[in-house]
């Protein structure tokens, strides 16, 4: 009977699992857990890193009944049926807990997730969830607080090399293909490792496709022809997407143009919308550069307009130019911080009235009430500034929110504010 290579080589115990050395090994969490009392857990990591495999190994070692669900194909009906069966197992003659394994658990909505809470609290079930998405965002707090989260990492290249050699040595018996460990030329092996991108399942599927091609040995160029286009690990709305956005933003903020370009092109290569990235760059211009270089926002905006006019790939080049400019220009977040601090201040203070001298008087009645009567017109004074004038609500102390830096244009702003301060003293 045919069995996919990924399934045929699935580890049967933790010692056979490749990678995850921070969780598996002497005195490591999962190695301790497998021999201890069952515990409800979440296995979080990208595709192909062993979440389902590890769950199966844990379940096989625990003395429990087992129910497996897929959040993609299951709804509240299947959840209720599983919980009813778990209750029978717990209260019946077996008096055993039931392990419910839920693949892609983040796809369950709030109500579906909440259905597990009561049974978890009573100890009738052990819940194991596997997810590619950040549990902090995708799982209810009430459920998450009852689960231990274990983070699985993408497989390192050294781990993938071991798996590749194992797969090449095993493929003859498993698929019936006439091949040996020389199926891949050395430079082709490197390409397979790159295309696998930390994903064991993807690597094994690639090897199986190569074996089924019927070729005795495959070169790097032939490999490109055999395989369909393989995208790097990237999900246009998932955890990795936001991780890479964060890396791009922080590289720009940290004034590293090369790293910024790297993350930009990683996202373009993975299928990100260039317009979305361009909008993020425009945000960087206001958040991290601000008044230190007022031209930065113009460059980001022009790059967006260029992409809208030219499309790909010329428009992407414009955005790349903007990213490099953002990375190398002087930085300031002083207005960004002032903006946030003003917001906090207003939330924590009362709604004070506008002082009478700052009010306009468009009607006769308003003029008679003295609206604007004591207002001093700044342009009538030297330096276009009224020394010691008060623009704050009556009774409120003057606040200091904006603290310009000495970066770029803000140095001139800083000098100007010093001049005005001296006028106040005189």
């Amino acid at each position: 009977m045919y069995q996919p290579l990924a399934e045929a080589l699935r580890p049967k115990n933790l010692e056979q699992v490749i990678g995850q050395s921070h969780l598996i090994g002497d005195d490591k969490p999962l190695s301790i857990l497998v021999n201890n009392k069952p515990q409800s857990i979440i296995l979080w990591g990208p595709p192909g890193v062993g979440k389902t495999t590890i769950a199966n190994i844990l379940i096989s070692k625990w003395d429990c009944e087992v129910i497996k669900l897929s959040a993609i194909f299951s709804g509240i009906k299947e959840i209720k049926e599983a919980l009813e069966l778990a209750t029978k197992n717990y209260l019946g003659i077996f008096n055993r807990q039931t392990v419910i394994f839920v693949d892609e658990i983040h796809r369950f909505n709030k109500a579906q997730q909440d259905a597990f809470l009561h049974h978890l609290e009573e100890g009738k079930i052990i819940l194991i969830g596997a997810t590619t998405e950040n549990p902090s965002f995708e799982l209810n707090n009430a459920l998450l607080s009852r689960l231990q989260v274990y983070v699985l990492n993408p497989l390192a290249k050294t781990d993938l090399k071991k798996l590749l050699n194992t797969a090449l040595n095993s493929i003859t018996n498993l698929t019936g293909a006439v091949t040996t460990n020389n199926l891949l030329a050395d430079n082709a092996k490197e390409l397979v490792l790159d295309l696998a991108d930390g994903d064991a399942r993807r690597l094994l599927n690639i090897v199986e496709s190569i074996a089924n091609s019927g070729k005795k040995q495959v070169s790097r160029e032939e490999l490109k022809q055999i395989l369909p286009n393989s995208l790097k690990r990237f999900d246009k709305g998932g955890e990795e997407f936001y991780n890479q956005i964060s890396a791009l933003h922080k590289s720009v903020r940290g004034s590293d143009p090369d790293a910024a370009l790297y993350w930009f092109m990683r996202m373009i290569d993975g299928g990100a919308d260039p317009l979305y990235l361009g909008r993020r760059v425009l945000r960087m211009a206001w958040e991290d550069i601000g008044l230190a270089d007022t031209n930065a926002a113009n460059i980001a905006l022009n790059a967006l307009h260029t992409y809208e006019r030219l499309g790909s790939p010329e428009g992407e080049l414009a955005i790349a130019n903007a990213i490099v400019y953002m990375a190398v220009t002087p930085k300031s977040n002083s207005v960004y911080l002032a903006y946030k601090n003003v917001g906090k201040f207003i939330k924590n203070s009362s709604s004070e009235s506008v002082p009478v001298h700052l009010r306009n008087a468009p009607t006769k009645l308003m003029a008679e009430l003295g609206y604007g009567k004591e207002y001093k017109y700044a342009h009538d004074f030297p330096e276009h500034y009224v020394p010691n004038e008060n623009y704050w609500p009556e009774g409120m102390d003057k606040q200091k929110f904006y603290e310009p830096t000495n970066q770029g244009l803000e140095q001139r702003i800083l000098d100007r504010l010093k001049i005005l301060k001296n006028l106040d003293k005189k």
Side-chain angles (χ1 to χ4, degrees), residues 360-372:
N360 283 332
T363 68
K364 182 180 179 182
L365 175 60
M366 289 177 167
E368 290 174 351
L369 291 173
Y371 282 27

Side-chain angles (χ1 to χ4, degrees), residues 61-80:
K61 297 294 184 181
W62 293 338
D63 183 25
C64 296
E65 300 298 314
V66 180
I67 299 174
K68 295 184 178 181
L69 299 175
S70 169
I72 298 175
F73 302 110
S74 303
I76 195 67
K77 175 177 175 290
E78 288 76 16
I79 294 173
K80 286 182 177 179

Side-chain angles (χ1 to χ4, degrees), residues 365-379:
L365 175 60
M366 289 177 167
E368 290 174 351
L369 291 173
Y371 282 27
K373 183 178 180 181
E374 302 297 329
Y375 174 65
K376 298 180 179 65
Y377 189 56
H379 297 296

Side-chain angles (χ1 to χ4, degrees), residues 177 183 206-218 222-223 226-227:
L183 173 65
I206 290 173
V207 171
E208 194 166 10
S209 296
I210 297 167
N212 291 334
S213 70
K215 294 181 178 291
K216 293 184 177 180
Q217 188 178 65
V218 177
E222 289 174 323
L223 181 57
I226 293 172
L227 298 178

Side-chain angles (χ1 to χ4, degrees), residues 217-251:
Q217 188 178 65
V218 177
S219 67
R220 186 182 181 92
E221 292 305 314
E222 289 174 323
L223 181 57
K224 292 179 180 178
Q225 296 173 1
I226 293 172
L227 298 178
N229 293 331
S230 299
L231 294 178
K232 299 293 184 182
R233 184 172 57 256
F234 186 80
D235 179 356
K236 299 180 188 178
E239 172 74 13
E240 196 62 21
F241 174 83
Y242 294 107
N243 286 342
Q244 292 185 18
I245 278 288
S246 176
L248 170 62
H249 196 148
K250 287 170 182 172
S251 298

Side-chain angles (χ1 to χ4, degrees), residues 395-412:
M396 180 181 287
D397 293 334
K398 292 184 178 182
Q399 304 294 317
K400 187 68 174 175
F401 297 116
Y402 175 54
E403 297 282 357
T405 68
N406 60 356
Q407 295 294 301
L409 175 63
E410 278 203 316
Q411 178 62 59
R412 291 172 55 190

Side-chain angles (χ1 to χ4, degrees), residues 53-112:
T53 295
I54 291 172
N56 287 336
I57 292 171
L58 291 174
I59 291 169
S60 70
K61 297 294 184 181
W62 293 338
D63 183 25
C64 296
E65 300 298 314
V66 180
I67 299 174
K68 295 184 178 181
L69 299 175
S70 169
I72 298 175
F73 302 110
S74 303
I76 195 67
K77 175 177 175 290
E78 288 76 16
I79 294 173
K80 286 182 177 179
E81 290 173 351
L83 294 174
E84 287 173 2
L85 181 57
T87 301
K88 290 179 181 178
N89 292 334
Y90 186 72
L91 299 176
I93 59 174
F94 297 112
N95 192 26
R96 282 151 59 93
Q97 287 179 306
T98 298
V99 176
I100 299 181
F101 172 63
V102 182
D103 197 17
E104 305 289 344
I105 192 171
H106 61 274
R107 292 180 180 268
F108 277 154
N109 60 33
K110 184 180 186 302
Q112 291 167 329

